[in-house]
Amino acid sequence: MNWDQIEGNWKEWKGKAQAKWGELTNDELDQAEGNREKIEGLIQQKYGKTKEEARKEVDSFLAS
């Protein structure tokens, strides 16, 4: 699966994203609108991750 598919079906994937990153609120995920860079930024802020660590987590999410 690629990120374009996730972004296109964000409402379906939002719950999965929240299950993986429980500290992200519904409002934050709604505002991100499936945008990968915004989600990576939220992960960095909420979890204190580096940009590379956030990217790897999103890659892992994409692979699941």
Side-chain angles (χ1 to χ4, degrees):
M1 172 156 302
N2 66 41
W3 196 262
D4 289 334
Q5 291 171 313
I6 289 175
E7 193 171 7
N9 295 313
W10 183 240
K11 290 185 183 208
E12 295 173 29
W13 282 92
K14 186 174 80 167
K16 293 178 184 181
Q18 192 162 35
K20 180 160 179 71
W21 299 292
E23 291 187 27
L24 301 182
T25 67
N26 276 329
D27 287 343
E28 290 170 330
L29 290 170
D30 285 341
Q31 289 174 5
E33 299 175 326
N35 180 288
R36 182 181 176 133
E37 289 181 7
K38 289 181 183 179
I39 293 167
E40 288 175 0
L42 289 169
I43 294 167
Q44 287 177 47
Q45 289 175 346
K46 292 282 187 163
Y47 292 92
K49 304 272 184 181
T50 66
K51 188 172 187 167
E52 184 62 30
E53 289 171 330
R55 182 176 298 123
K56 286 180 181 179
E57 285 201 22
V58 171
D59 286 342
S60 173
F61 176 72
L62 186 62
S64 65

